[in-house]
């Protein structure tokens, strides 16, 4: 059972021997620091190194291999390179919106990790509305994107931002509705409970017990969730907001140096958050045999990352109108059908 | 230039046929013809500058000349001259040149744009570089040079030493057009010249309504390198051949070289040994495969987005072709392999190894193409993106002078390798690929299937070369050290380049350098169809259409 009794911040304040308000504050801050750094380290691997290696593997190339073992020190050189570049502020940008946006985007995604159970007692907070919180904060990124698009004083940025908002509205609803079908099973929005329910055995085949991961219970919902998730994080076939060959780089066209890094960071953390939500809702969270829970959690979100890069390498991009058609006429209908069917089935069985 | 003076060294029977066809057409036009000329490729009919449209309408509607292949403008000591090189999509060997002289002090000629829409850009170029004004032209602006340029560089009195001074104020304007007054609730977007999907320095002035293209105007000339002028300053025998490699530089070098070789060889009556023709055919088709691979990869890039596997796969397979071409010519891009009268050297030794390399490539090709079909043409999203978008109806394509895979993707059965055969093509067994979908998908399919046809040709060439007797390997005929074609001989000859009909017009003036060297670039004409294909469509489809046209700015701008 992975049902959390204590959260990470409580564990920390307990270890430090603090209690009361001071304990909450110190535990929360140190815990948040740890969790954020875990995610940032993973992003550091994903962005400059893993992404290159993965896309290279799909395209029969080798990619970075000069600096360090397997080219791993590229991460360091890339960090130095990106941060030492000049921050170009174009004429006529709308400050401070233009400056705030690159901070909004990564931090909204980081906030989502506060409620994700990562196994081995790493969960920052476990509110009753955990799932709703994760979706809510992840959506703040859209606000950041609108700010980038509007403030950049660039037409490509504006088109990109409008596309991003259109995409978000069209795909956020199916995403949340599909997640709601999981809530019907669990009867709770609390993340730890969603994970706990999935630990129960579904069937036993030849001595191997298959747990009730909702990906097994309702594969249709899982597929829907993955598709909507791809749209949510803007990867092929849904990379409409960036669409490099059409609108240059979309909403991030005018950003350079540290701001560019922040926006990119936001994108990768978003991918990981998407992976974390998929893992928590459908793949039993940190559950898995032999290895510690946290390792399984990392494996699952990296698998999701791999999936997004695979899609990016192999699947063509949809046109913006086709993309919205699929969202409103396909995904929305299917996700509601899924919700109603799940409700009926659960109602009949229970 | 008149008929009496001219003694073209051509096949007498062919010449006679041309003359009689000329008589026939002169009769058709009646009083419109005020004189006759004889070009080596076609009869020339001289027409008054204010009767151009009437003459061209008649030739188009009553004599079947539906293809304005090229427009050459030039300046003589006593007059300006525009030559409309007309031919037919159904019968490429049926050619006629409509010659329109205009006076020096008032170089105004009637525009052919209402007859052939392709004349739009061709006449703008003629105005830009030579200085002839076309009356009734819808938009007679400079096209290759900046708006602020002073003088017309291919005119006789142009002073090359004079510096061109254009103030920043004059340059700042084009990028800041305010469209609100004229277009209503629309947005003006500059796509390019620095944009990930314009395949070079193309600037597309786009007016969008939301995401839909309302108006679109390709602005070219950023890569203009005065290729025509440079060729006019080089000697026929040695100095011109390196230039064609720089037109369509996406590995189509040998195809371009052939365009010059064909025109110059016909002009100077040079024979090419059969063995050299086979080597040329082999090399040209290798180039075509390499070029189509790039077209395929970059089109996928435009539709898929960055970092796609298919682009790398296409590059990987093109790399093999590049290695073969490197073995053959010693170069990977700027081959400079053809010579007038043949090629520069024989196949690399050991020949068996070279043939083996080509055979290996050909053996692996069907599998590679199968992979492309799996990843591209059978992908449903790609079909949703490309089928029915960027539609170019055959009549429009013909009017714009579209050729090559663009025309064949619109169901026009037109390929110079077959219709006006040269080299060794008519001895070999291959087919012209035609798709009649008229959309982006058809153009993609045409290229993929043409790769198969090229492979067939290469296969046959390799078989022939392998069995060629060792003492008959003649790679070059005897060509004089200095070539001086007779004065006032004029020729227009085209070959099937990777992107379409690549034509060269040469007028000799008795020296060892051409008096006028005009390049008919297929990309130039094909790019003109972009507004037709894109207006009313979404930006992504415009980008896809641009990709499917497969333009190379080096060839568009020359």
């Amino acid at each position: 059972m992975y049902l959390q009794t204590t959260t990470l911040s409580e564990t920390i304040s307990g270890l430090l021997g603090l209690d009361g308000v001071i304990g909450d504050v110190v535990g929360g801050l140190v815990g948040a620091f740890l969790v954020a750094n875990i995610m940032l380290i993973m992003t550091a691997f994903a962005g400059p190194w893993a992404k290159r290696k993965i896309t290279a593997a799909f395209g029969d190339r080798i990619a970075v291999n000069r600096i360090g073992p397997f080219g791993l020190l590229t991460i360091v050189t890339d960090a130095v390179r990106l941060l030492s570049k000049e921050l170009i502020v174009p004429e006529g940008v709308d400050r401070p919106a233009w400056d705030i946006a690159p901070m909004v985007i990564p931090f909204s995604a980081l906030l989502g990790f506060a409620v994700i159970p990562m196994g081995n007692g790493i969960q920052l907070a476990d509110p009753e509305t955990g799932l709703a919180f994760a979706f809510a904060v992840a959506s703040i990124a859209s606000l950041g994107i609108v700010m980038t698009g509007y403030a950049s004083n660039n037409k490509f940025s504006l088109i990109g931002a409008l596309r991003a908002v259109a995409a978000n509205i069209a795909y956020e609803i199916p995403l949340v509705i599909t997640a709601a079908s999981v809530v019907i099973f669990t009867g709770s929005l609390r993340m730890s409970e969603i994970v706990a329910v999935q630990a129960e055995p579904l069937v036993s085949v030849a001595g191997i017990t298959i747990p009730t991961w909702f990906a097994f219970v309702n594969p249709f919902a899982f597929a829907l969730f993955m598709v909507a998730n791809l749209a949510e994080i803007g990867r092929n076939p849904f990379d409409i907001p960036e669409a490099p060959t059409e609108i240059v780089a979309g909403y991030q066209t005018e950003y350079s140096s540290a701001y560019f890094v922040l926006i990119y960071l936001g994108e990768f953390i978003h991918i990981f958050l998407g992976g974390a939500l998929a893992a928590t809702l459908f793949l039993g969270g940190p559950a898995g045999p032999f290895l510690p829970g946290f390792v399984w959690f990392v494996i699952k979100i990296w698998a999701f990352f791999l999936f997004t890069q695979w899609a990016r390498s192999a699947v063509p991009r949809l046109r913006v109108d086709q993309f919205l058609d699929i969202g409103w006429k396909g995904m929305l209908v299917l996700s509601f059908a899924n919700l109603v069917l799940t409700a009926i089935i659960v109602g009949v069985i229970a | 230039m008149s008929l009496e003076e001219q003694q073209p060294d051509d096949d007498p029977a062919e010449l006679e046929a041309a003359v009689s066809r000329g008589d026939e057409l002169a009769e058709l036009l009646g009083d419109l013809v005020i004189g006759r000329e004889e070009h080596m490729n076609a009869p020339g009919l001289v027409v008054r500058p204010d009767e151009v449209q009437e003459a061209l309408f008649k030739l188009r509607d009553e004599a079947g000349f539906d293809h304005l292949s090229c427009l050459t403008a030039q300046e003589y000591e006593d007059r300006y001259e525009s030559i409309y090189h007309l031919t037919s999509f159904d019968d490429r060997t049926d050619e006629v040149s409509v010659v329109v002289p205009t006076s020096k002090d008032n170089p105004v000629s009637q525009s052919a744009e209402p007859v052939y829409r392709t004349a739009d850009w061709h006449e703008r170029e003629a105005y830009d570089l030579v200085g002839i004004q076309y009356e009734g032209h819808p938009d007679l602006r400079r096209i290759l040079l900046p708006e602020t340029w002073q003088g017309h560089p291919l005119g006789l009195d142009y002073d090359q030493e004079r510096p061109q001074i254009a103030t920043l104020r004059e340059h700042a304007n084009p990028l800041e057009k305010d469209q609100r007054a004229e277009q209503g609730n629309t947005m003006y977007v500059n796509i390019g010249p620095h944009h990930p999907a314009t395949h070079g320095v193309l600037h597309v002035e786009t007016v969008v309504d939301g995401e839909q293209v309302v108006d679109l105007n390709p602005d070219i000339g950023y890569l203009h390198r005065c290729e025509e002028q440079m060729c006019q300053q080089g000697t026929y025998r040695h100095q011109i051949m390196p230039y064609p490699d720089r037109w369509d530089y996406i590995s189509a070098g040998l195809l371009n070289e052939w365009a010059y070789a064909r025109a110059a060889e016909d002009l100077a009556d040079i024979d090419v040994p059969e063995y050299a023709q086979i080597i040329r055919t082999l090399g040209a088709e290798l180039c075509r495969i390499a070029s189509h691979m790039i077209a395929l990869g970059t089109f996928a890039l435009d539709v898929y987005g960055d970092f796609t596997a298919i682009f790398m796969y296409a590059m990987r397979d093109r790399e093999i072709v590049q290695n073969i071409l490197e073995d053959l010519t010693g170069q990977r891009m700027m081959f400079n392999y053809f010579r007038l009268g043949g090629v520069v050297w024989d196949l690399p030794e050991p020949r068996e190894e070279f043939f083996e390399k080509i055979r290996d490539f050909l053996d692996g090709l069907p599998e590679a193409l199968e992979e492309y079909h799996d990843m591209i043409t059978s992908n449903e999203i790609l079909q949703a993106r490309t089928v029915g978008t960027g539609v170019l109806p055959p009549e429009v394509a013909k009017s714009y002078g579209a050729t090559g895979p663009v025309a064949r993707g619109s169901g026009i059965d037109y390929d110079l390798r077959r219709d006006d055969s040269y080299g060794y093509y008519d001895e070999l067994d291959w087919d012209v690929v035609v798709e009649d979908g008229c959309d982006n998908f058809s153009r993609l399919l045409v290229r993929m299937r043409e790769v198969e046809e090229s492979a067939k040709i290469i296969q046959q060439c390799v078989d022939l070369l392998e069995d060629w007797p060792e003492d008959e390997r003649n790679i070059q005929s005897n060509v004089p050290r200095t070539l001086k074609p007779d004065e006032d001989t004029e020729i227009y000859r085209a070959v099937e380049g990777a992107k379409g009909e690549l034509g060269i017009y040469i007028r000799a003036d008795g020296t060892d350098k051409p008096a006028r060297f005009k390049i008919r670039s297929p990309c130039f004409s094909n790019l003109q169809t972009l507004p037709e294909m894109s207006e009313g469509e979404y930006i992504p489809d415009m980008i896809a259409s641009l990709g499917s046209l497969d333009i190379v700015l080096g060839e568009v701008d020359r």
Side-chain angles (χ1 to χ4, degrees):
Chain A
M1 287 293 281
Y2 288 88
L3 191 57
Q4 305 276 161
T5 46
T6 50
T7 59
L8 183 63
S9 40
E10 284 162 2
T11 315
I12 291 167
S13 54
L15 283 174
L16 295 174
L18 300 165
D19 47 14
V21 180
I22 297 172
D24 284 351
V25 170
V26 173
L29 282 178
V30 175
F33 180 79
L34 287 176
V35 169
N37 272 298
I38 291 169
M39 295 328 297
L40 289 176
I41 289 167
M42 293 220 290
T43 314
F45 273 98
W49 186 77
K51 180 187 161 169
R52 286 178 182 163
K53 281 292 195 191
I54 294 168
T55 41
F58 280 116
D60 268 1
R61 286 181 293 126
I62 298 165
V64 285
N65 67 345
R66 292 293 157 137
I67 315 170
F70 309 106
L72 268 170
L73 288 181
T74 305
I75 297 167
V76 180
T77 54
D78 251 21
V80 173
R81 173 177 69 88
L82 285 165
L83 293 175
S84 58
K85 280 193 171 178
E86 184 192 356
L87 178 67
I88 298 165
V89 183
E91 248 177 69
V93 294
D94 190 359
R95 302 180 92 163
W98 192 75
D99 306 85
I100 297 172
M103 290 162 214
V104 172
I105 295 170
F107 286 106
S108 76
L110 270 181
L111 273 179
F113 279 100
V115 294
I116 303 285
M118 303 187 192
N120 302 86
I122 306 174
Q123 185 183 13
L124 212 49
D126 194 15
E128 264 180 47
T129 51
L131 188 59
F133 174 82
F135 282 122
V137 293
S139 299
I140 297 176
S142 303
L143 181 68
I145 289 174
V146 175
M147 284 159 81
T148 58
Y150 180 76
S152 287
N153 190 28
N154 177 311
K155 288 161 184 172
F156 290 118
S157 300
L158 184 63
I159 295 175
L162 293 176
R163 282 180 172 196
V165 175
N168 232 289
I169 299 171
Y171 282 82
E172 192 86 42
I173 301 172
L175 189 74
V176 174
I177 301 290
T178 314
S181 75
V182 168
V183 177
I184 293 177
F185 281 113
T186 61
S188 169
L189 289 168
R190 194 190 286 271
M191 291 298 217
S192 56
E193 275 179 37
I194 293 172
V195 171
V197 170
Q198 294 182 67
E200 284 158 20
L202 181 68
V203 281
S204 259
V205 184
I208 301 165
T209 308
I210 295 175
T212 40
W213 291 5
F214 292 121
F216 301 142
V217 177
N218 191 354
F220 177 63
F222 181 58
L224 271 179
F225 189 82
M226 289 299 266
V227 173
N229 221 341
L230 269 184
E232 178 72 13
I233 57 169
R235 282 292 170 271
N236 276 16
F238 307 119
D239 71 334
I240 313 290
E242 276 178 60
T245 49
E246 295 161 17
I247 49 172
V248 188
Y251 55 87
Q252 49 173 291
T253 306
E254 293 288 3
Y255 284 93
S256 53
S257 183
Y259 284 178
F260 171 81
V261 174
L262 281 171
I263 291 179
Y264 234 73
L265 203 65
E267 273 187 35
F268 277 97
I269 300 175
H270 234 91
I271 295 176
F272 283 131
L273 182 62
L277 285 171
T280 310
L281 288 174
F282 288 97
L283 298 175
F290 310 122
L291 297 170
F294 180 69
V295 176
W296 271 111
F297 177 77
V298 171
I299 289 174
K300 282 170 190 173
I301 61 175
W302 274 86
F304 181 79
F305 178 73
L306 187 69
F307 170 70
T308 61
Q309 297 306 311
W310 179 18
R312 182 167 192 153
S313 294
V315 187
R317 177 195 303 137
L318 284 162
R319 202 170 55 211
V320 60
D321 61 318
Q322 295 168 337
F323 169 69
L324 294 178
D325 269 2
I326 291 174
W328 288 111
K329 295 178 188 165
M331 296 291 292
L332 190 66
V333 177
L334 287 176
S335 60
F336 269 110
N338 171 56
L339 182 72
V340 172
L341 277 179
T342 314
I344 292 171
I345 292 168
V346 170
V348 169
I349 293 171
Chain B
M1 62 142 252
S2 72
L3 191 59
E4 290 79 37
E5 303 166 8
Q6 200 175 347
Q7 297 294 326
D9 277 333
D10 216 343
D11 182 13
E14 197 181 301
L15 192 64
E16 198 176 302
V19 169
S20 63
R21 178 65 171 155
D23 290 341
E24 203 180 298
L25 295 171
E27 202 169 301
L28 173 75
L29 294 185
D31 289 345
L32 291 171
V33 179
I34 55 168
R36 293 283 295 277
E37 282 187 25
E38 212 51 51
H39 295 173
M40 288 186 72
N41 62 307
L45 307 174
V46 184
V47 170
R48 280 171 58 90
D50 54 354
E51 290 174 344
V52 175
Q53 283 181 16
E54 201 181 329
L56 291 181
F57 267 125
K58 268 200 168 154
L59 286 170
R60 189 191 73 180
D61 298 334
E62 290 166 38
F65 289 103
D66 55 356
H67 181 29
L68 171 56
S69 178
C70 184
L71 163 61
T72 305
Q74 53 188 333
E75 188 179 359
Y76 287 87
E77 289 301 332
D78 59 339
R79 66 183 189 281
Y80 284 98
E81 194 176 275
S82 313
I83 307 174
Y84 294 88
H85 302 280
L86 302 183
T87 177
S88 152
F89 279 104
D90 295 327
D91 179 8
R92 180 56 178 79
T93 50
D94 187 18
E95 292 177 78
V96 65
S97 305
V98 175
V99 182
V100 187
T102 48
S103 68
K104 272 269 192 189
D105 45 344
N106 183 27
V108 180
S109 175
Q110 204 175 26
S111 170
E113 198 272 343
V115 195
Y116 304 100
R117 283 147 93 179
T118 186
D120 182 351
W121 279 22
H122 283 275
E123 284 175 354
R124 277 177 67 188
E125 186 189 320
Y127 160 72
D128 191 2
L129 299 182
V130 182
I132 302 173
Q133 314 260 351
Y134 291 91
E135 201 179 4
H137 189 283
D139 185 21
L140 195 65
R141 287 178 293 133
R142 288 189 181 272
I143 186 165
L144 295 177
L145 303 178
E147 283 287 312
T148 52
W149 199 265
Q150 303 292 311
H152 303 279
L154 292 182
L156 292 179
D157 58 351
Y158 181 75
D159 180 8
Q160 293 199 20
E161 304 296 316
R162 184 181 153 199
Q164 293 282 336
I165 300 166
T167 61
L168 180 64
R169 190 176 52 79
E170 285 169 282
H171 270 306
N173 189 27
L175 297 181
E176 286 174 13
K177 249 185 237 167
D178 189 338
Q179 302 277 322
R180 273 171 293 190
E182 38 186 295
Q183 298 278 0
N185 204 8
T186 56
M187 183 161 75
Y188 177 82
V189 187
N190 286 301
I191 297 183
H194 303 290
H195 185 278
T198 53
H199 298 215
V201 279
L202 172 68
H203 174 205
V204 186
E205 299 167 345
T206 318
V207 178
V208 290
D209 179 8
E211 287 251 7
Q212 274 164 315
V213 177
V214 179
D215 187 29
L216 176 145
N217 177 29
D219 172 25
I220 62 171
Y222 290 87
L223 202 56
H224 180 56
R225 294 151 300 164
C226 325
E227 291 281 349
E228 289 178 5
Q229 200 167 27
M230 288 198 288
C231 289
Q232 279 165 218
Q233 288 164 359
T235 57
Y236 292 106
R237 181 72 172 90
H238 296 110
Q239 292 178 343
I240 295 178
M241 195 54 93
Y243 289 126
D245 289 321
R246 277 117 182 123
W247 304 339
D248 175 358
Y249 45 71
I250 310 283
S251 46
L254 294 182
L255 294 156
N256 304 349
E257 288 176 22
W258 208 337
Y260 169 63
R262 188 177 187 206
E265 280 158 7
D266 283 359
L267 181 74
D269 194 23
I270 299 167
D271 285 328
V272 182
E274 211 174 331
Y275 180 70
Q277 290 286 27
I278 300 173
I279 298 180
R280 281 183 174 188
T281 312
L282 169 80
E285 291 309 309
L286 283 169
C287 279
R288 194 181 310 278
I289 290 183
S291 176
H292 281 359
M293 290 280 183
I294 282 271
L296 189 75
T298 50
F299 179 71
L301 210 61
D302 288 344
V303 176
Y304 280 57
D306 285 347
F307 304 115
T308 56
I310 191 66
F311 175 70
M312 289 314 301
Y313 287 7
M315 291 299 275
R316 176 196 65 196
D317 293 325
R318 174 176 170 276
E319 192 62 22
I320 307 171
V321 188
Q322 289 273 285
N323 288 338
I324 297 171
L325 282 168
E326 189 180 355
D327 287 349
L328 179 66
T329 67
Q331 265 285 7
R332 291 173 65 84
M333 262 181 102
M334 306 298 162
F335 304 113
N336 193 15
Y337 179 63
F338 284 16
R339 291 292 178 275
L340 298 188
V343 292
V344 61
W345 49 60
D346 200 353
L347 302 178
E349 294 289 344
R351 292 163 71 92
E352 290 71 34
E353 206 173 287
F354 181 66
F355 292 136
E356 190 60 35
K357 211 168 178 177
I358 299 180
R359 289 237 160 84
D360 282 348
F361 167 66
L362 294 177
D363 290 343
L365 195 61
E367 202 185 323
L369 285 170
E370 193 57 39
E371 199 174 18
Y372 297 160
H373 279 296
D374 279 350
M375 288 197 67
I376 311 182
T377 47
S378 58
N379 185 313
E380 279 182 36
I381 298 179
L382 186 112
Q383 287 177 5
R385 278 297 309 276
T386 54
V387 174
T389 63
V391 177
L392 184 67
E395 287 318 308
V396 179
K398 283 181 179 178
S399 184
Y400 276 113
T403 50
V406 177
R408 291 192 285 273
S410 287
I412 302 170
D413 189 7
Y414 181 74
D415 190 323
L416 267 77
R417 290 175 288 172
R418 180 200 60 198
D419 299 338
D420 181 17
S421 200
Y422 55 96
Y424 213 70
Y425 288 112
D426 50 357
E427 310 280 328
L428 303 173
D429 174 34
W430 59 282
D431 296 309
V432 175
V433 177
V434 180
E435 291 280 337
D436 45 17
C438 306
D439 52 15
N440 290 337
F441 191 66
S442 314
R443 289 186 279 274
L444 176 70
L445 267 189
V446 164
R447 293 204 178 86
M448 289 181 70
R449 287 178 51 203
E450 271 184 17
V451 169
E452 291 171 31
E453 294 301 322
S454 294
K456 260 161 73 180
I457 296 174
I458 294 168
Q459 181 73 56
Q460 294 169 53
C461 289
V462 170
D463 291 344
L464 283 166
L465 290 170
E466 208 163 32
D467 300 335
W468 210 265
E470 198 164 346
D471 47 352
E472 288 173 31
R473 289 180 193 162
N474 187 7
I475 55 160
Q476 212 176 345
S477 57
N478 280 328
V479 182
R481 249 191 130 61
T482 310
L483 283 178
K484 288 185 179 173
D486 295 334
E487 195 175 346
D488 274 329
T489 42
E490 298 173 53
I491 189 165
Y492 174 70
R493 277 271 184 261
V495 298
E496 185 71 26
K499 320 302 198 234
E501 181 174 342
L502 178 60
I504 304 289
Y505 165 88
I506 301 176
R507 175 168 64 89
D509 60 357
T511 65
D512 60 350
K513 293 171 184 169
R516 179 76 173 100
F517 190 98
K518 164 77 185 152
I519 307 158
R520 189 265 186 210
S521 142
C523 294
F524 183 78
S525 297
N526 289 352
L527 180 59
Q528 263 189 289
T529 62
L530 184 64
E532 197 68 41
M533 285 159 45
S534 308
E535 277 166 19
E537 304 233 4
Y538 287 87
I539 296 177
D541 284 342
M542 189 274 273
I543 298 292
S545 302
L546 183 61
S548 79
L549 283 177
D550 184 26
I551 52 157
V552 175
L553 269 301
E555 196 176 65
V556 174
D557 294 344
R558 285 154 288 147

